[in-house]
Amino acid sequence: MTESSSLSPKSPPLIPIEFVTEEEMSLIDAALAATTSSLSSRSSPCSYSFPSSPSSSSQFQRNGRSVESITFYSKRKLSVCSETESLRTRDIEDFGEFKGTQKKLKVLEGFLHRFRRKRGLAITDITATEWCEKQMEFVLLRGKPKDSEAMKAGKARHTKLEEEVLKKVEVRVEAAEDAWAVKFMNFIAGAHQLLFEGLTRELPLIGFVEGVWMVGVIDEIRMPATDTVRNPLLVETKTRTQASLPAEPQKRNGRLQLMCYKYLWDNAVTDNFHSSRFFTSFGLNPHYILSEEIQKHTASSGFPAKTLEDLVTFFKNTCCMLPPAHDQLLLRYEFQGDDSLLGEEHFLYDPIWLMSRIKQRLEFWLGEREAGYVPPEERWKCQTCKFASICPSNTTADGKSS
């Protein structure tokens, strides 16, 4: 079966058009407005607010130009798609490489095997589970609710930000290997845009974390403009329906997301991408001959590849040119009403905290324990949850909503 997409004959860097969902944030805006009136307003900056954009003396560049983006139009399910539905991968352990029946059965019973076996975990799977495990369980078993107007507005804003530096094009793909090739092409071209222009957006990542393949798409990466700092800054933009900065649970969720991205980035650039594990986990043929259209585009872009293995080699070589991400990460908050900046939060990477959070979430995904509920102090999240009426935490002994 053939999948179609398109490519432009031009050869500038290529970045994918993929959307990082704001669902876990925007679903609770209304609840925040009703229960946390002490949140600071847009006109009253919080203590961690920063200028809306770097000054001329900033150590990070923001001069990226518009470039072309490669994507594909899917007619059937592939092992690669957007982060919202995930360019996901499969854990190598899903292929029966466990020693011991008991441990293998535990994985077979988990949501990872049931719902992400061929796609792996997106970083937004991790953050959504951090937000509420029971809500994620309902999403998996009953289906994702339709996007709210706030979510649609958030996606539209991200599209606008992408279009400032990206131009969407499509490419025709004929197999899963072609689809993965598109992703690697996007990373390679996006990395070159970062190195030469100082800014790139919507950069796809993939990595192996605690025995599980994870993927993500970074909103924005800025390259330092000074010689004293050479580590790129990872940036995530959140849009809000309320003209106020978020409560701590939302900020925590955003920090977790960016720290996950840094983990994937640092693993990739330190030559920790294992090609053989990747091919085996996805059941991909490294010697697969890429479609003529993809071969033509890779050649015109400066990294001619005939097989998927060729392209993965270019990907790994590109990673070797990149430094680890800066330990300082940046969260930006914008008001959906006028795209104005509500505030910025700079914070430091905390690998110990990050791994403890990931391990907790993987316990749920691997079926090692049942889904947990939000703590009592965060029950305000339930006010806008689409599954609140059927959630056991909100029902009485006779089955009625509390």
Side-chain angles (χ1 to χ4, degrees):
M1 187 176 293
T2 299
E3 300 196 1
S4 65
S5 291
S6 65
L7 281 178
S8 167
K10 297 176 65 177
S11 59
L14 312 165
I15 321 294
I17 294 299
E18 298 178 337
F19 300 105
V20 180
T21 179
E22 293 293 322
E23 178 178 7
E24 64 268 30
M25 294 302 183
S26 54
L27 269 177
I28 50 72
D29 274 339
L32 281 173
T35 60
T36 56
S37 58
S38 61
L39 289 177
S40 61
S41 69
R42 181 160 50 114
S43 60
S44 302
C46 291
S47 60
Y48 53 83
S49 294
F50 291 84
S52 60
S53 62
S55 65
S56 58
S57 60
S58 171
Q59 62 179 336
F60 293 98
Q61 299 179 31
R62 299 191 66 185
N63 62 340
R65 296 193 304 243
S66 177
V67 298
E68 290 182 340
S69 162
I70 296 182
T71 185
F72 56 85
Y73 175 77
S74 179
K75 293 183 179 178
R76 60 178 174 84
K77 292 285 187 180
L78 285 178
S79 60
V80 184
C81 46
S82 69
E83 185 184 0
T84 304
E85 299 180 7
S86 289
L87 182 168
R88 319 201 194 237
T89 58
R90 180 174 181 179
D91 187 342
I92 192 170
E93 294 176 332
D94 288 341
F95 289 82
E97 298 184 14
F98 277 103
K99 294 181 179 180
T101 303
Q102 184 175 3
K103 187 174 183 181
K104 183 175 181 180
L105 288 175
K106 184 183 294 183
V107 174
L108 293 176
E109 295 167 354
F111 288 119
L112 178 66
H113 180 86
R114 292 174 63 186
F115 298 99
R116 300 293 187 259
R117 182 170 58 88
K118 296 182 179 181
R119 302 188 296 176
L121 284 177
I123 297 306
T124 49
D125 283 331
I126 295 295
T127 56
T129 310
E130 168 78 10
W131 187 255
C132 178
E133 291 183 350
K134 196 64 179 180
Q135 184 185 70
M136 172 55 76
E137 181 182 76
F138 280 125
V139 168
L140 294 171
L141 297 177
R142 293 174 174 265
K144 179 182 175 182
K146 293 182 179 180
D147 285 350
S148 66
E149 292 303 314
M151 297 176 202
K152 293 176 182 178
K155 290 182 178 181
R157 175 55 179 161
H158 278 83
T159 299
K160 184 177 179 180
L161 289 171
E162 292 169 17
E163 291 174 347
E164 292 178 358
V165 297
L166 308 175
K167 179 182 177 182
K168 181 179 179 180
V169 295
E170 295 179 342
V171 59
R172 184 183 186 87
V173 299
E174 300 174 356
E177 285 83 356
D178 288 328
W180 273 108
V182 169
K183 299 298 181 180
F184 288 118
M185 291 164 66
N186 285 330
F187 179 91
I188 294 167
H192 282 96
Q193 184 188 25
L194 177 66
L195 292 172
F196 291 103
E197 301 294 336
L199 173 69
T200 193
R201 289 179 178 152
E202 300 302 313
L203 190 78
L205 289 175
I206 178 174
F208 201 63
V209 185
E210 293 294 308
V212 175
W213 283 103
M214 294 186 187
V215 296
V217 181
I218 305 177
D219 270 5
E220 181 177 314
I221 309 175
R222 304 175 189 172
M223 182 60 74
T226 67
D227 293 331
T228 56
V229 180
R230 297 306 303 161
N231 303 94
L233 175 68
L234 307 188
V235 183
E236 177 74 15
T237 297
K238 301 294 184 184
T239 65
R240 292 180 52 74
T241 58
Q242 303 296 318
S244 59
L245 289 161
E248 175 57 29
Q250 288 175 289
K251 293 188 289 184
R252 182 183 68 227
N253 210 260
R255 295 186 202 113
L256 175 62
Q257 185 173 354
L258 267 177
M259 288 190 196
C260 286
Y261 291 155
K262 175 174 166 58
Y263 186 93
L264 293 184
W265 172 279
D266 288 353
N267 266 8
V269 304
T270 52
D271 198 26
N272 281 336
F273 185 81
H274 302 288
S275 302
S276 59
R277 174 183 287 169
F278 167 74
F279 292 129
T280 300
S281 298
F282 278 96
L284 299 171
N285 177 10
H287 307 297
Y288 170 84
I289 304 299
L290 301 173
S291 69
E292 292 184 6
E293 191 171 359
I294 290 179
Q295 289 189 55
K296 180 179 179 180
H297 198 84
T298 60
S300 65
S301 299
F303 45 93
K306 183 177 181 179
T307 67
L308 181 60
E309 186 174 44
D310 293 338
L311 205 48
V312 170
T313 299
F314 280 116
F315 163 74
K316 296 179 68 174
N317 290 341
T318 301
C319 288
C320 291
M321 298 190 299
L322 301 167
H326 202 288
D327 282 342
Q328 176 181 267
L329 303 169
L330 175 60
L331 274 171
R332 302 179 67 258
Y333 297 100
E334 292 185 354
F335 178 46
Q336 288 186 357
D338 56 9
D339 297 337
S340 60
L341 185 71
L342 296 172
E344 294 184 339
E345 179 186 4
H346 292 259
F347 60 96
L348 292 176
Y349 179 64
D350 186 341
I352 296 177
W353 179 84
L354 172 65
M355 295 314 299
S356 69
R357 292 288 176 172
I358 289 178
K359 289 177 181 179
Q360 289 174 18
R361 303 291 77 82
L362 288 181
E363 289 174 358
F364 161 80
W365 281 99
L366 293 173
E368 295 176 355
R369 58 172 173 79
E370 294 183 355
Y373 300 90
V374 296
E377 65 272 18
E378 296 182 15
R379 287 291 299 276
W380 50 265
K381 296 177 181 178
C382 304
Q383 295 187 30
T384 52
C385 177
K386 303 297 184 181
F387 305 103
S389 62
I390 59 173
C391 181
S393 67
N394 294 321
T395 56
T396 60
D398 60 3
K400 296 181 180 180
S401 298
S402 58

